[in-house]
Amino acid sequence: TEGESKAESSLTFEFASTPVITLAHFIPASRQILSDAPMLQGYIDGRLRYGLALEEEDELLNGNGLQGTLQGLVGYAAAFTGGATNQTALDTLLKAQLQVSLSEYAITGYVLHPRDLTNILLLKDTTGRYLFSDPHGMELPRVWGTDVVPTQSQTAGTFLAGAFTLAAEIFDREDASVRVAEQHASFFVQNLVAVLAEERLALAVYRASALVSGNISYAG
């Protein structure tokens, strides 16, 4: 009320370190081809960057934290405690949402394998109408009002749920770049070049309890 002191909150910090890792791969190409076919160089550039993105996604989810790799979100996540007996995939995902909520965080998304998402989108009521999808619609996939990210980096039959914006942050120390060089093995005398794609990043997890991981059951 008027004249009273305001409530005071506090934050507690602890020292922690997370590695900055390098993701990279290269392919050999002839110097003449790259000179004679600029379109091919652009194609190689795009494919190398795409490969980096795939590896980055896999490590962000599943990295084991060994030297030179990230500790992925799944490794940080709390185990799902909602049980798996006689419940559907939808039951499991809703209970995971509850588990995140009881940790004082609002869920922002699920990560599922495409097969698991497809199985959910194929669910129908007794009249044959789809429960969670519309063949004529163009909306992004959502379950229980929450966005779903389908990726093959997520193990089939498992899920990751979380308040991702509060739980973790990616630090891009060096954006993906593509370089061409002759200084590799005997490439110079063979008129070959190495086309190298590389990036550096780190993953900081602030609130592991905002992440929940577990198995999806199709029982019931």
Side-chain angles (χ1 to χ4, degrees):
T1 60
E2 185 175 349
E4 290 188 351
S5 299
K6 308 301 186 292
E8 179 180 343
S9 296
S10 64
L11 288 173
T12 301
F13 294 91
E14 62 182 30
F15 287 105
S17 62
T18 186
V20 177
I21 68 161
T22 299
L23 299 179
H25 64 148
F26 81 94
I27 61 172
S30 72
R31 184 169 56 82
Q32 293 92 335
I33 286 294
L34 293 184
S35 298
D36 297 341
M39 183 278 296
L40 181 61
Q41 183 170 352
Y43 176 81
I44 293 173
D45 183 299
R47 299 298 290 181
L48 285 172
R49 291 176 185 270
Y50 183 68
L52 276 185
L54 289 178
E55 178 62 21
E56 176 183 336
E57 182 178 74
D58 184 61
E59 289 216 17
L60 288 172
L61 280 174
N62 306 308
N64 56 23
L66 297 178
Q67 185 174 1
T69 64
L70 294 172
Q71 174 69 41
L73 296 175
V74 173
Y76 281 106
F80 176 59
T81 59
T85 302
N86 196 33
Q87 64 184 21
T88 67
L90 293 176
D91 294 335
T92 298
L93 294 180
L94 184 57
K95 289 183 178 180
Q97 185 174 137
L98 172 63
Q99 185 173 334
V100 174
S101 298
L102 292 177
S103 297
E104 301 294 345
Y105 304 106
I107 191 171
T108 57
Y110 299 106
V111 182
L112 297 175
H113 188 279
R115 287 198 185 96
D116 294 318
L117 175 59
T118 299
N119 288 335
I120 290 172
L121 296 181
L122 286 172
L123 292 174
K124 301 175 183 178
D125 62 18
T126 55
T127 64
R129 294 175 298 185
Y130 289 102
L131 296 179
F132 278 84
S133 60
D134 178 1
H136 302 288
M138 297 297 292
E139 297 87 359
L140 293 173
R142 290 172 64 84
V143 174
W144 297 120
T146 302
D147 292 337
V148 178
V149 177
T151 171
Q152 292 191 77
S153 294
Q154 182 68 28
T155 303
T158 68
F159 70 88
L160 177 65
F164 294 101
T165 53
L166 289 175
E169 185 175 0
I170 300 170
F171 292 92
D172 288 313
R173 300 306 302 267
E174 291 182 12
D175 291 334
S177 63
V178 177
R179 293 177 291 164
V180 178
E182 297 176 330
Q183 295 83 4
H184 177 71
S186 58
F187 277 20
F188 178 76
V189 296
Q190 294 176 291
N191 276 334
L192 294 176
V193 295
V195 187
L196 171 71
E198 184 176 66
E199 65 175 326
R200 297 175 68 238
L201 72 156
L203 174 66
V205 174
Y206 304 126
R207 298 287 187 271
S209 58
L211 303 168
V212 174
S213 178
N215 297 323
I216 295 177
S217 171
Y218 292 99

